[in-house]
Amino acid sequence: MSHLDFTAARPEIALALMAMALLLFGVFRKSRVVDAVNTLALMALAATALLVLFVPGSDRIIAFGGTFIVDAMARVMKILVIFAAGIALVMSVHYMKWERMERFEYAVLMLLSVLGMMVMISSGGLITLYLGLELQSLSLYVLAAMHRESARSAEAGLKYFVLGALASGLFLYGVSLVYGFAGTTTFAGLTQALKSGISIGLIAGLVFILAALAFKISAVPFHMWTPDVYEGAPTPVTAYFAAAPKLAAIAVFVRVLYEAFPHAEEAWRQVIVFMAIASMLLGAFAGVVQSNIKRLLAYSSIGHMGFVLVGLAAGGQEGLRGVMIYLIIYLVMTLGVFAAVIGMRRDGRPVEEIEDFAGLARTNMGLAFAIGALMFSLAGIPWLAGFFAKYFVLLSAVKTGLVALAIIGVLASVVSAFYYLRVVKVMFFDEPKEPVDPAPFELKLITALSVIFVLFYVVWPGPVTALAQAAIRPFIVP
Amino acid sequence: MDTIFLAIVFLPLIGAMLAGLFGTAVFRYAGSAPPQIAVHEDDDDGHGHHHAYDGPRWPMMLTTGILVFVALLSWYAFFDVTAGNVYKVTVAEWVRSGKLVATWALRIDTLSAVMLVVVTTVSALVHIYSLGYMAHDPHQPRFFAYLSLFTFAMLMLVTSDNLLQMFFGWEGVGLASYLLIGFWYTRPSANAAAIKAFVVNRVGDFGFALGIFATFALFGSIEFDTLFAAAPEMAGKTVPFLSWQVDALTLICLLLFMGAMGKSAQFLLHTWLPDAMEGPTPVSALIHAATMVTAGVFLVTRMSPFYELAPLAQQAVVFIGAVTAFFAATVGLVQNDIKRVIAYSTCSQLGYMFAALGVGAYGAGMFHLFTHAYFKALLFLGAGSVIHAMSDEQDIWRMGGLFPYLKKTWAMMLIGTLALTGFPLTAGYFSKDAIIEAAFAAHTPMGTFAFWLLVIAAFFTAFYSWRLMFVVFHGKSRASRETLARVHDSPPVMLVPLYVLAAGALFAGWLFKDAFIGEKAAEFWGKAIYLAADNDVMEAMHHVPGWVKAAPFVMMVGGLALAFLFYIVAPSLPEALARAFRPVYLFLLNKWYFDELYDRIFVRPAFAIGRFLWRKVDQKTIDGLGPDGVSARVLDVSTWASRMQSGYVYHYAFAMLLGVAGLVTYLMVRGG
């Protein structure tokens, strides 16, 4: 272990130290602990982000004997995860007060989960990957059950924990199979080992590993926890679930598939295609009958992950860039919608049933317009950002010959448009109910920024494309 | 002169656009919500006296002024053209597609000039008349815009230089007619009548369009000059049509005549005309008496180089014309609505015109068109005056004894009736008698058949015309006391047009008979009308036996005498007669049951087919397999998918394990 190794992991180490310091601070501080910890946590995230940006050294640092990689994708994805966590934390502040669940551990857990995700993103071997995976999972289980007085929150946390444990078991079993057949767990080593040929045991191990990762991005058939947990968990936690872990898991997907198992492409492409189709279709069909906005968004995210998998299956520069663009746009849309949903309360109670949105356009035009725009974007209506996200991945699929996949994607998109547009219909054409309470400033701001993004992405798509292009640079074969 | 013709045709369009777009509410409320317009349920005839019009006056004045100006120009042009000048004004190229070339051009010869003066004169008078008649209507700018639009379309029709341009005008007048029949759009009957007129005309237009296609297919052109030059070569050629070999020109002529039958309300396609009386009375006078309905006559006359070479088609024209004249006259005998009586009379007179055209006496047909425009417009506007005075009453049996109240209107109606029945030296006397003589002079079986029908129709015409006069103006009054108290002669703005028309009804025949059908005819018509070498009807009609010349007069006197007997001397007679011959009476009263017949043969099956296509084909099959079926299946799948979401952790875990097992198995079987 050299000095350089620790330099590469400096952001993670710093974040771990800050998280533990905050934990001590929270325990010993007597008054106004939550606000202070939240503020400090945000500062910690900002500091980590700065460290990520300014890791010294070359473009691609391989540390700890190849088990830890810092490259362009790692940096971009870490920044995005930190960004998502920061936004989720901001969105939680008022919610925790409303729901009387103010606890300083909340922010600390969030930092720890970010740490886990950062380790996942930078992992250069299966063991590091497992380390990060477990750390973020354990943090998230607790976050889901954070609202201790709510039976549903507890149920959500427990379900997530049990199924997550199963996923971890699958993952470990897969790792053991891979190690048994290849004799190594680092990605670089696996690539070397697989050059000579792929045994059936390796394939089986890969499938187990992919299943565990698919659990994280809630791809069908490993999605079953998603609606229940989304619905039961506190809404800001749901928003966090929908955003950050998905990004981290997709980054891991890219690493595992393109860095460790590029020679098993034939095999895993079929798995990815299957999960993409199943996710898109289930996300579209099952969403149709949902009446709760959080459940609806759960199916929405399942469907969106299906589209991301389309890009992943297509691969190549266009496919991977499509994946990155999709993730960025998805992140912004999701956070915007959740900010709007968190802010919607009537008489101090959260508004989560879609039919309670009735006539929102007449009582609160601004909010209705924002949700409407985001729904149109999620549905993929042209000139909004969500359309381009779908467009790029489907285009890459067509170019790689996965035409059937693209067609199924378009059809699923049509079906899913139904439930997005139903929300719009309810808001704009149904008889209005009582007006909703005014939302806090930061939630309005997040929603507004998100709406501006989806509306004007079309005129200025450059930055997003540049970011995506930067992220996939390590994976482009020169 | 070119400028004058352009002005004649396009000034009405400009007027219509200005009045229609800026005089009405089209742009008035642009950008803001229009105020709620109250529907006047009690306003039975649309021009009730309860709701004064408070909009701008300039649209009415503008359109009327333009039309008067255009009418004066037309008369100037008429005398210029009849002096022997022929003009052709090219406006623009319209269509050039392969061999098909159509230009916007005004073809001005005697035939168009005659139509120009008829159309613009009657239109100008109707515009003036409407200033009074529609004075209380809240939508009068729209009305005047429609009237001017109609005038433009009609002028386009009569000045057309090719069949496509004529079709443009043809459809344009159809549109204006539709809009004006349905002018009082809050009345269901008006809307129904408008739709009926439109649909029945579609049948005719279908034939017309096929005729144009056939012409183009055979001649490779639709320009009149080319067609007329090439027509003689085409005579006798045959074309395959529905597996038969038919004579080319006969086919074209019959198809074109189908269009003429629709527009001119000839037998079988006449049913829309009486219903069209739902429109405001000035509209009836202008469109459904004087001008639009004569478009068919104009068409056949314009195409005379074709018809002269297609004897079979000519026979058809004679037959349909004569039958229409007879049929409409019989129905007119028993109608009780003042406007419908005149409407059937119009139908009948149009039959006369076609009979004349069919036997080759185009001049006589056009002459009758010319004179008929005056006296029929006069009768309609007179009837409008009566209706106006009677507070929108149209049933002649609720009038009676109006002579003392409406002396001026009575005088005008009398002149119109005299002209219509062919009283010596009035306009109708010259033109109608000429037709009857021409039919006799044709010396063909069909001509003779037509002659007898027309003579009988003349008797009926005299009877129902005088019946109308006697029932409305003489005898005991059957109107309510309140109505009578309000009866008054119309204001000068409505009476002056009547005077002008009355002058036309009295003198137009005597003034123009030499030119239209007399010794100057050949010179007058020039090349506008083509007569086959062996066609001497125009000459022979002046040399028929004395009894033939006397027949119409005898019939006229007979009809007058019978009407006098029935409705003045012994008013109980008609009722007794109706009771004695009840089936005949009902047959006539119900217009030979044509509406019922068409309802059974066409309307109901059409509805049945429509309902079948709608319910079974569209809703059950297309929607069922398409949108509805798909959405139902989506819902099924969705319900199923969300039922999978049972909430039990072991179900979820099972699904995950199943997924892994399935994927591993699949890859093993596939061999990775």
Side-chain angles (χ1 to χ4, degrees), chain A residues 130-308:
Chain A
Y130 179 68
L131 194 68
L133 198 65
E134 275 310 274
L135 179 54
Q136 68 109 22
S137 297
L138 286 169
S139 315
L140 293 182
Y141 302 149
V142 184
L143 280 176
M146 199 72 199
H147 196 349
R148 285 193 299 200
E149 282 147 42
S150 157
R152 310 188 67 173
S153 178
E155 182 192 332
L158 194 62
K159 271 182 182 163
Y160 194 28
F161 172 64
V162 172
L163 294 170
L166 177 63
S168 291
L170 292 174
F171 183 83
L172 283 178
Y173 186 57
V175 171
S176 67
L177 277 175
V178 167
Y179 182 67
F181 281 88
T184 176
T185 56
T186 61
F187 296 160
L190 282 169
T191 316
Q192 288 296 325
L194 266 63
K195 265 187 186 159
S196 51
I198 304 149
S199 65
I200 200 78
L202 272 175
I203 299 289
L206 177 59
V207 171
F208 276 95
I209 291 171
L210 290 183
L213 293 176
F215 176 82
K216 286 289 152 205
I217 64 163
S218 53
V220 179
F222 310 103
H223 67 286
M224 303 290 274
W225 60 277
T226 319
D228 294 7
V229 174
Y230 270 43
E231 190 187 357
T235 314
V237 176
T238 309
Y240 186 51
F241 279 6
K246 303 267 196 276
L247 262 64
I250 291 290
V252 172
F253 256 109
V254 174
R255 268 210 206 292
V256 169
L257 296 178
Y258 287 90
E259 222 158 283
F261 292 90
H263 301 293
E265 191 173 340
E266 280 298 303
W268 60 250
R269 173 161 290 150
Q270 297 177 42
V271 177
I272 300 292
V273 166
F274 166 75
M275 292 197 297
I277 292 175
S279 303
M280 289 189 297
L281 290 180
L282 187 104
F285 281 92
V288 167
V289 287
Q290 302 307 322
S291 59
N292 180 292
I293 186 78
K294 284 163 79 179
R295 279 188 93 83
L296 186 136
L297 288 170
Y299 285 106
S300 162
S301 77
I302 292 172
H304 281 292
M305 284 306 122
F307 281 96
V308 173

Side-chain angles (χ1 to χ4, degrees), chain A residues 114-137:
Chain A
V114 171
L115 176 60
M117 291 175 212
M118 287 169 70
V119 172
M120 279 167 75
I121 292 167
S122 268
S123 60
L126 294 171
I127 298 300
T128 328
L129 174 54
Y130 179 68
L131 194 68
L133 198 65
E134 275 310 274
L135 179 54
Q136 68 109 22
S137 297

Side-chain angles (χ1 to χ4, degrees), chain A residues 159 162-163 166 170 200 203 207-208 211 215 221-222 224 227-228 267 270-271 274 285-286 288-290 295 299 415, chain B residues 633-635 637-639 641-642 644-645 647-649 651-653 655-657 659-660 663-664 666-668 670 672:
Chain A
K159 271 182 182 163
V162 172
L163 294 170
L166 177 63
L170 292 174
I200 200 78
I203 299 289
V207 171
F208 276 95
F215 176 82
F222 310 103
M224 303 290 274
D228 294 7
Q270 297 177 42
V271 177
F274 166 75
F285 281 92
V288 167
V289 287
Q290 302 307 322
R295 279 188 93 83
Y299 285 106
V415 175
Chain B
R633 294 294 82 72
V634 166
L635 205 60
V637 173
S638 302
T639 316
S642 76
M644 298 285 286
Q645 200 70 33
Y648 294 116
V649 173
H651 283 167
Y652 297 180
M656 288 170 66
L657 293 176
V660 173
L663 286 171
V664 170
Y666 173 77
L667 288 179
M668 281 178 167
R670 277 291 306 270

Side-chain angles (χ1 to χ4, degrees), chain B residues 79-317:
Chain B
F79 287 113
D80 182 81
V81 170
T82 51
N85 295 322
V86 174
Y87 298 92
K88 188 159 176 180
V89 187
T90 307
V91 182
E93 188 173 76
W94 182 14
V95 180
R96 178 181 289 277
S97 169
K99 275 201 302 178
L100 179 66
V101 179
T103 49
W104 294 106
L106 308 183
R107 181 190 183 88
I108 311 290
D109 55 11
T110 311
L111 185 58
S112 351
V114 169
M115 293 305 288
L116 281 185
V117 293
V118 169
V119 171
T120 54
T121 308
V122 177
S123 179
L125 293 172
V126 165
H127 270 78
I128 297 171
Y129 181 87
S130 301
L131 289 177
Y133 192 83
M134 303 295 284
H136 302 285
D137 195 283
H139 298 292
Q140 39 185 313
R142 183 163 60 89
F143 180 79
F144 279 78
Y146 287 168
L147 278 189
S148 283
L149 177 69
F150 165 79
T151 312
F152 162 72
M154 191 70 200
L155 292 172
M156 209 69 203
L157 195 167
V158 300
T159 57
S160 55
D161 190 43
N162 57 58
L163 282 170
L164 195 61
Q165 195 183 341
M166 187 186 268
F167 195 66
F168 169 82
W170 193 269
E171 294 302 313
V173 292
L175 168 71
S177 160
Y178 167 81
L179 291 172
L180 283 165
I181 294 170
F183 178 73
W184 288 315
Y185 54 80
T186 51
R187 283 203 259 164
S189 58
N191 287 320
I195 291 170
K196 186 172 178 183
F198 209 74
V199 170
V200 175
N201 266 297
R202 288 275 79 57
V203 179
D205 292 350
F206 180 64
F208 190 10
L210 283 183
I212 297 174
F213 302 155
T215 309
F216 182 70
L218 285 166
F219 290 85
S221 170
I222 50 171
E223 304 275 344
F224 287 140
D225 288 336
T226 323
L227 294 181
F228 297 160
E233 298 163 26
M234 200 56 71
K237 287 203 180 149
T238 59
V239 289
F241 178 76
L242 301 177
S243 82
W244 291 299
Q245 285 294 321
V246 292
D247 185 70
L249 282 177
T250 307
L251 176 68
I252 291 174
C253 287
L254 285 176
L255 286 172
L256 293 179
F257 183 55
M258 196 170 152
M261 282 169 68
K263 197 59 82 194
S264 294
Q266 290 302 286
F267 188 64
L268 300 179
L269 293 179
H270 64 277
T271 51
W272 65 272
L273 184 60
D275 288 17
M277 298 302 130
E278 285 290 341
T281 307
V283 172
S284 309
L286 174 62
I287 300 183
H288 305 120
T291 58
M292 184 187 82
V293 289
T294 63
V297 179
F298 170 78
L299 169 66
V300 173
T301 312
R302 175 58 88 201
M303 300 307 286
S304 58
F306 279 29
Y307 280 89
E308 283 293 279
L309 297 168
L312 203 64
Q314 282 187 305
Q315 305 245 317
V317 175

